[in-house]
Amino acid sequence: MLGIVAHDGAFAEYLALPLESLHVVPKNVTDEQAVFVEPLAAACEILEQVNVKKFRSAAVLGDGKLAQLIALVLRTAIPRVVMYGKHEKKLAVARRGGIQTKRISGDASDLKHVKEHFPLLVEATGSPSGLPLAQHMAEPRGTLVLKSTFHGTTPVETWPMVVKEITVVGSRCGPFARAIALLRAGKVDPTALITHTFPLARAHKAINFTQQRGILKVLLKP
């Protein structure tokens, strides 16, 4: 894994990678779109794992960058996609992309206030509170896709999975080719997620900027 396990990442001055890791970017895909290929591929992995066309509706829990891309990808195959998140500015970005949104608190109180249920849910909150809500919102014999990774552990009640007979799918990285195809066809345009672009000389400021609340995607431009 480039930059993760025993291998320098792209912030190194020099790096090496196999040629098979390179993908041709079509001429009609801009640089601003192409930088989203890796996370967009992670969203496309759901299409590889689940037959999404059998669902008429789906919910995405979370409103961060990955959740936004997941919602856009699901929207290409499912008539109704609803995003549940706690940040109004991020939810507004999703609405501009044609995604229905609902605001939640992001804590245990959501278990009492959220009444809607879905046959397909994708948990992408990046928070321990996301899984209990996802289980609560899942229909009997529904499918729950887990995308969140976060530091630490959290207590998990497994009885909702058993009682509802929920299918739980762990989902990680995905197919670059499928992500590039969506961009080439114009079915997904992730550029609305770009919050700001910095010149490469201001890289340190850009990295600090990403730590602010509400930031989705920050680019460095040579």
Side-chain angles (χ1 to χ4, degrees):
M1 294 300 294
L2 183 66
I4 299 177
V5 180
H7 202 302
D8 287 340
F11 277 118
E13 187 172 0
Y14 298 98
L15 69 151
L17 69 162
L19 288 175
E20 64 186 18
S21 294
L22 298 177
H23 297 262
V24 176
V25 177
K27 291 183 178 180
N28 70 323
V29 175
T30 67
D31 290 348
E32 288 76 15
Q33 293 173 321
V35 296
F36 285 92
V37 167
E38 190 278 331
L40 186 61
C44 289
E45 177 70 357
I46 298 171
L47 305 183
E48 302 283 318
Q49 298 172 296
V50 179
N51 180 16
V52 297
K53 292 187 177 180
K54 72 178 183 179
F55 299 105
R56 300 298 298 171
S57 64
V60 178
L61 305 189
D63 52 22
K65 180 179 62 180
L66 181 56
Q68 300 266 353
L69 295 174
I70 290 169
L72 291 174
V73 167
L74 291 181
R75 189 65 183 83
T76 66
I78 299 176
R80 180 172 180 254
V81 178
V82 185
M83 174 181 287
Y84 286 77
K86 61 180 182 179
H87 304 100
E88 179 54 38
K89 288 185 178 180
K90 293 181 179 180
L91 293 175
V93 173
R95 287 195 294 272
R96 290 196 292 271
I99 305 299
Q100 183 181 346
T101 67
K102 294 191 178 182
R103 193 169 182 181
I104 56 177
S105 300
D107 54 36
S109 66
D110 294 325
L111 295 173
K112 296 181 179 180
H113 299 144
V114 177
K115 304 298 183 182
E116 197 167 13
H117 298 86
F118 292 84
L120 174 64
L121 286 107
V122 181
E123 197 286 300
T125 63
S127 167
S129 64
L131 180 56
L133 179 60
Q135 293 179 124
H136 167 74
M137 293 175 63
E139 291 182 357
R141 294 191 174 178
T143 298
L144 169 57
V145 180
L146 302 182
K147 275 291 187 183
S148 285
T149 56
F150 49 83
H151 180 70
T153 60
T154 179
V156 176
E157 287 188 314
T158 58
W159 69 262
M161 303 178 195
V162 177
V163 173
K164 290 186 178 182
E165 298 184 333
I166 299 171
T167 298
V168 180
V169 181
S171 184
R172 191 175 168 222
C173 304
F176 274 41
R178 193 162 191 168
I180 292 172
L182 285 177
L183 294 174
R184 182 179 62 241
K187 293 183 178 181
V188 172
D189 183 8
T191 53
L193 306 185
I194 300 173
T195 306
H196 199 74
T197 301
F198 288 85
L200 186 58
R202 301 177 67 192
H204 288 291
K205 183 172 182 178
I207 292 172
N208 291 332
F209 183 78
T210 64
Q211 307 306 310
Q212 298 181 32
R213 185 179 295 274
I215 303 302
L216 286 170
K217 184 75 167 177
V218 175
L219 302 187
L220 293 174
K221 192 173 184 67

